[in-house]
Short mmCIF file of all heavy atoms in Angstrom, two decimals:
data_model
loop_
_atom_site.label_atom_id
_atom_site.label_comp_id
_atom_site.label_asym_id
_atom_site.label_seq_id
_atom_site.Cartn_x
_atom_site.Cartn_y
_atom_site.Cartn_z
N HIS A 64 125.47 120.68 -62.30
CA HIS A 64 124.61 121.59 -63.05
C HIS A 64 125.34 122.00 -64.32
O HIS A 64 126.32 122.74 -64.28
CB HIS A 64 124.25 122.79 -62.19
CG HIS A 64 123.56 122.40 -60.91
ND1 HIS A 64 122.19 122.29 -60.80
CD2 HIS A 64 124.07 122.03 -59.70
CE1 HIS A 64 121.88 121.90 -59.58
NE2 HIS A 64 123.00 121.73 -58.89
N TYR A 65 124.84 121.49 -65.43
CA TYR A 65 125.46 121.65 -66.74
C TYR A 65 124.85 122.87 -67.42
O TYR A 65 123.69 122.85 -67.84
CB TYR A 65 125.21 120.38 -67.55
CG TYR A 65 125.96 120.24 -68.84
CD1 TYR A 65 127.21 119.63 -68.89
CD2 TYR A 65 125.40 120.70 -70.02
CE1 TYR A 65 127.88 119.48 -70.09
CE2 TYR A 65 126.06 120.56 -71.22
CZ TYR A 65 127.31 119.96 -71.24
OH TYR A 65 127.98 119.82 -72.43
N VAL A 66 125.60 123.93 -67.51
CA VAL A 66 125.07 125.21 -67.94
C VAL A 66 124.97 125.31 -69.45
O VAL A 66 125.95 125.10 -70.17
CB VAL A 66 125.92 126.36 -67.38
CG1 VAL A 66 125.50 127.70 -67.98
CG2 VAL A 66 125.81 126.41 -65.85
N LYS A 67 123.79 125.64 -69.91
CA LYS A 67 123.55 125.91 -71.33
C LYS A 67 122.71 127.17 -71.43
O LYS A 67 121.55 127.15 -71.80
CB LYS A 67 122.83 124.73 -71.99
CG LYS A 67 123.66 123.48 -72.12
CD LYS A 67 124.76 123.66 -73.14
CE LYS A 67 125.54 122.38 -73.37
NZ LYS A 67 126.67 122.58 -74.28
N TYR A 68 123.31 128.31 -71.03
CA TYR A 68 122.55 129.54 -71.00
C TYR A 68 122.07 129.96 -72.38
O TYR A 68 121.05 130.63 -72.51
CB TYR A 68 123.37 130.67 -70.37
CG TYR A 68 123.54 130.52 -68.88
CD1 TYR A 68 124.75 130.82 -68.26
CD2 TYR A 68 122.49 130.06 -68.08
CE1 TYR A 68 124.91 130.69 -66.89
CE2 TYR A 68 122.65 129.92 -66.72
CZ TYR A 68 123.84 130.24 -66.12
OH TYR A 68 124.01 130.10 -64.77
N ASN A 69 122.80 129.60 -73.40
CA ASN A 69 122.38 129.86 -74.77
C ASN A 69 121.56 128.67 -75.25
O ASN A 69 122.10 127.58 -75.49
CB ASN A 69 123.58 130.07 -75.68
CG ASN A 69 123.18 130.32 -77.12
OD1 ASN A 69 122.00 130.42 -77.44
ND2 ASN A 69 124.16 130.40 -78.00
N GLN A 70 120.26 128.86 -75.38
CA GLN A 70 119.40 127.74 -75.76
C GLN A 70 119.82 127.11 -77.07
O GLN A 70 119.61 125.92 -77.29
CB GLN A 70 117.94 128.19 -75.85
CG GLN A 70 117.19 128.06 -74.54
CD GLN A 70 115.71 128.19 -74.75
OE1 GLN A 70 115.21 129.21 -75.20
NE2 GLN A 70 114.99 127.15 -74.44
N GLU A 71 120.41 127.90 -77.94
CA GLU A 71 120.81 127.36 -79.23
C GLU A 71 121.88 126.29 -79.07
O GLU A 71 122.07 125.46 -79.96
CB GLU A 71 121.34 128.48 -80.13
CG GLU A 71 120.27 129.47 -80.56
CD GLU A 71 119.11 128.80 -81.27
OE1 GLU A 71 119.37 127.99 -82.18
OE2 GLU A 71 117.96 129.04 -80.91
N SER A 72 122.57 126.28 -77.94
CA SER A 72 123.63 125.29 -77.77
C SER A 72 123.07 123.89 -77.69
O SER A 72 123.77 122.91 -77.92
CB SER A 72 124.45 125.61 -76.51
OG SER A 72 123.63 125.55 -75.37
N TYR A 73 121.78 123.76 -77.34
CA TYR A 73 121.18 122.43 -77.33
C TYR A 73 121.12 121.85 -78.75
O TYR A 73 121.17 120.63 -78.94
CB TYR A 73 119.75 122.49 -76.78
CG TYR A 73 119.67 122.49 -75.28
CD1 TYR A 73 119.20 123.60 -74.60
CD2 TYR A 73 120.05 121.37 -74.55
CE1 TYR A 73 119.11 123.60 -73.22
CE2 TYR A 73 119.97 121.37 -73.18
CZ TYR A 73 119.49 122.48 -72.51
OH TYR A 73 119.41 122.46 -71.15
N THR A 74 121.03 122.71 -79.71
CA THR A 74 120.88 122.24 -81.10
C THR A 74 121.98 122.79 -81.98
O THR A 74 121.81 122.97 -83.17
CB THR A 74 119.50 122.68 -81.65
OG1 THR A 74 119.39 124.10 -81.55
CG2 THR A 74 118.38 122.05 -80.85
N ALA A 75 123.11 123.09 -81.36
CA ALA A 75 124.21 123.70 -82.10
C ALA A 75 124.68 122.77 -83.21
O ALA A 75 124.72 121.56 -83.05
CB ALA A 75 125.37 124.00 -81.16
N VAL A 76 125.01 123.35 -84.33
CA VAL A 76 125.48 122.56 -85.46
C VAL A 76 126.93 122.15 -85.23
O VAL A 76 127.77 122.99 -84.90
CB VAL A 76 125.35 123.36 -86.77
CG1 VAL A 76 126.01 122.62 -87.92
CG2 VAL A 76 123.88 123.63 -87.07
N ILE A 77 127.20 120.88 -85.39
CA ILE A 77 128.56 120.38 -85.27
C ILE A 77 129.25 120.50 -86.62
O ILE A 77 128.64 120.22 -87.66
CB ILE A 77 128.54 118.90 -84.77
CG1 ILE A 77 129.96 118.44 -84.40
CG2 ILE A 77 127.91 117.98 -85.79
CD1 ILE A 77 129.97 117.08 -83.73
N ASN A 78 130.49 120.96 -86.64
CA ASN A 78 131.18 121.13 -87.91
C ASN A 78 131.92 119.85 -88.30
O ASN A 78 131.89 118.84 -87.59
CB ASN A 78 132.13 122.33 -87.86
CG ASN A 78 133.19 122.19 -86.77
OD1 ASN A 78 133.52 121.08 -86.33
ND2 ASN A 78 133.73 123.31 -86.33
N ARG A 79 132.59 119.92 -89.44
CA ARG A 79 133.27 118.71 -89.96
C ARG A 79 134.36 118.23 -89.00
O ARG A 79 134.56 117.03 -88.83
CB ARG A 79 133.85 119.01 -91.34
CG ARG A 79 134.56 117.83 -92.01
CD ARG A 79 133.62 116.65 -92.25
NE ARG A 79 134.29 115.60 -92.96
CZ ARG A 79 134.31 115.48 -94.30
NH1 ARG A 79 133.70 116.38 -95.06
NH2 ARG A 79 134.95 114.49 -94.87
N HIS A 80 135.06 119.17 -88.37
CA HIS A 80 136.08 118.78 -87.39
C HIS A 80 135.46 118.00 -86.24
O HIS A 80 136.01 116.99 -85.79
CB HIS A 80 136.79 120.01 -86.85
CG HIS A 80 137.76 119.72 -85.75
ND1 HIS A 80 138.93 119.02 -85.95
CD2 HIS A 80 137.72 120.04 -84.42
CE1 HIS A 80 139.58 118.91 -84.79
NE2 HIS A 80 138.86 119.51 -83.85
N GLY A 81 134.30 118.46 -85.78
CA GLY A 81 133.62 117.75 -84.71
C GLY A 81 133.19 116.35 -85.12
O GLY A 81 133.26 115.40 -84.32
N ILE A 82 132.75 116.22 -86.36
CA ILE A 82 132.39 114.88 -86.87
C ILE A 82 133.61 113.98 -86.88
O ILE A 82 133.55 112.82 -86.42
CB ILE A 82 131.79 115.00 -88.29
CG1 ILE A 82 130.47 115.78 -88.25
CG2 ILE A 82 131.57 113.62 -88.90
CD1 ILE A 82 129.91 116.11 -89.61
N ASP A 83 134.72 114.49 -87.37
CA ASP A 83 135.94 113.69 -87.43
C ASP A 83 136.43 113.30 -86.03
O ASP A 83 136.92 112.19 -85.83
CB ASP A 83 137.04 114.46 -88.17
CG ASP A 83 136.78 114.56 -89.66
OD1 ASP A 83 136.01 113.73 -90.19
OD2 ASP A 83 137.33 115.47 -90.31
N CYS A 84 136.27 114.21 -85.07
CA CYS A 84 136.67 113.89 -83.69
C CYS A 84 135.81 112.77 -83.13
O CYS A 84 136.31 111.86 -82.44
CB CYS A 84 136.54 115.13 -82.80
SG CYS A 84 137.85 116.34 -82.99
N THR A 85 134.52 112.80 -83.42
CA THR A 85 133.62 111.76 -82.93
C THR A 85 133.97 110.41 -83.55
O THR A 85 133.95 109.37 -82.88
CB THR A 85 132.16 112.14 -83.26
OG1 THR A 85 131.86 113.40 -82.68
CG2 THR A 85 131.20 111.10 -82.71
N VAL A 86 134.29 110.42 -84.84
CA VAL A 86 134.70 109.18 -85.51
C VAL A 86 136.00 108.66 -84.91
O VAL A 86 136.15 107.45 -84.67
CB VAL A 86 134.86 109.43 -87.03
CG1 VAL A 86 135.48 108.21 -87.71
CG2 VAL A 86 133.51 109.77 -87.66
N GLU A 87 136.94 109.56 -84.63
CA GLU A 87 138.21 109.14 -84.03
C GLU A 87 138.00 108.59 -82.63
O GLU A 87 138.63 107.59 -82.24
CB GLU A 87 139.19 110.30 -83.99
CG GLU A 87 140.56 109.91 -83.44
CD GLU A 87 141.55 111.05 -83.37
OE1 GLU A 87 141.27 112.12 -83.93
OE2 GLU A 87 142.62 110.87 -82.75
N ALA A 88 137.11 109.20 -81.88
CA ALA A 88 136.84 108.73 -80.52
C ALA A 88 136.33 107.29 -80.54
O ALA A 88 136.78 106.44 -79.76
CB ALA A 88 135.82 109.63 -79.84
N LEU A 89 135.41 106.99 -81.45
CA LEU A 89 134.90 105.63 -81.53
C LEU A 89 135.96 104.68 -82.04
O LEU A 89 136.02 103.51 -81.62
CB LEU A 89 133.66 105.57 -82.42
CG LEU A 89 132.99 104.19 -82.52
CD1 LEU A 89 132.72 103.60 -81.14
CD2 LEU A 89 131.71 104.27 -83.33
N SER A 90 136.85 105.13 -82.91
CA SER A 90 137.95 104.29 -83.37
C SER A 90 138.86 103.89 -82.21
O SER A 90 139.31 102.74 -82.12
CB SER A 90 138.75 105.03 -84.44
OG SER A 90 139.86 104.27 -84.86
N ILE A 91 139.11 104.85 -81.31
CA ILE A 91 139.92 104.56 -80.12
C ILE A 91 139.24 103.50 -79.27
O ILE A 91 139.87 102.55 -78.79
CB ILE A 91 140.13 105.86 -79.30
CG1 ILE A 91 141.05 106.82 -80.05
CG2 ILE A 91 140.70 105.55 -77.91
CD1 ILE A 91 141.10 108.21 -79.46
N LEU A 92 137.93 103.64 -79.09
CA LEU A 92 137.19 102.68 -78.28
C LEU A 92 137.14 101.31 -78.95
O LEU A 92 137.28 100.28 -78.28
CB LEU A 92 135.77 103.21 -78.04
CG LEU A 92 135.66 104.45 -77.16
CD1 LEU A 92 134.24 104.99 -77.18
CD2 LEU A 92 136.10 104.15 -75.74
N GLU A 93 136.94 101.28 -80.26
CA GLU A 93 136.88 100.00 -80.96
C GLU A 93 138.21 99.27 -80.83
O GLU A 93 138.24 98.06 -80.55
CB GLU A 93 136.54 100.22 -82.44
CG GLU A 93 136.47 98.91 -83.22
CD GLU A 93 135.97 99.10 -84.63
OE1 GLU A 93 135.93 100.25 -85.11
OE2 GLU A 93 135.61 98.08 -85.26
N THR A 94 139.33 99.97 -81.03
CA THR A 94 140.64 99.35 -80.89
C THR A 94 140.83 98.78 -79.49
O THR A 94 141.33 97.67 -79.31
CB THR A 94 141.75 100.37 -81.18
OG1 THR A 94 141.61 100.85 -82.52
CG2 THR A 94 143.12 99.77 -81.00
N PHE A 95 140.40 99.53 -78.49
CA PHE A 95 140.55 99.10 -77.10
C PHE A 95 139.70 97.86 -76.81
O PHE A 95 140.21 96.85 -76.29
CB PHE A 95 140.17 100.24 -76.15
CG PHE A 95 140.20 99.86 -74.71
CD1 PHE A 95 141.38 99.90 -73.99
CD2 PHE A 95 139.04 99.47 -74.05
CE1 PHE A 95 141.42 99.55 -72.65
CE2 PHE A 95 139.06 99.12 -72.71
CZ PHE A 95 140.25 99.15 -72.01
N PHE A 96 138.43 97.91 -77.13
CA PHE A 96 137.52 96.83 -76.73
C PHE A 96 137.65 95.59 -77.62
O PHE A 96 137.18 94.52 -77.23
CB PHE A 96 136.08 97.34 -76.70
CG PHE A 96 135.77 98.17 -75.49
CD1 PHE A 96 135.69 99.55 -75.57
CD2 PHE A 96 135.60 97.57 -74.24
CE1 PHE A 96 135.42 100.32 -74.45
CE2 PHE A 96 135.34 98.32 -73.11
CZ PHE A 96 135.25 99.70 -73.21
#
């Protein structure tokens, strides 16, 4: 049960750090695969 008591969290704005983390995560996967 994944709790999201604050409905806004479903549409929460991701900041630039979050974008960079997502890009880095895919870079890790690309290097691996």
Side-chain angles (χ1 to χ4, degrees):
H64 302 269
Y65 190 90
V66 172
K67 291 291 185 184
Y68 287 141
N69 178 5
Q70 271 194 298
E71 292 304 311
S72 62
Y73 277 114
T74 57
V76 172
I77 190 172
N78 59 23
R79 181 62 176 269
H80 174 68
I82 295 172
D83 288 339
C84 284
T85 303
V86 172
E87 183 181 349
L89 183 51
S90 177
I91 290 169
L92 293 171
E93 180 173 14
T94 299
F95 176 84
F96 283 103

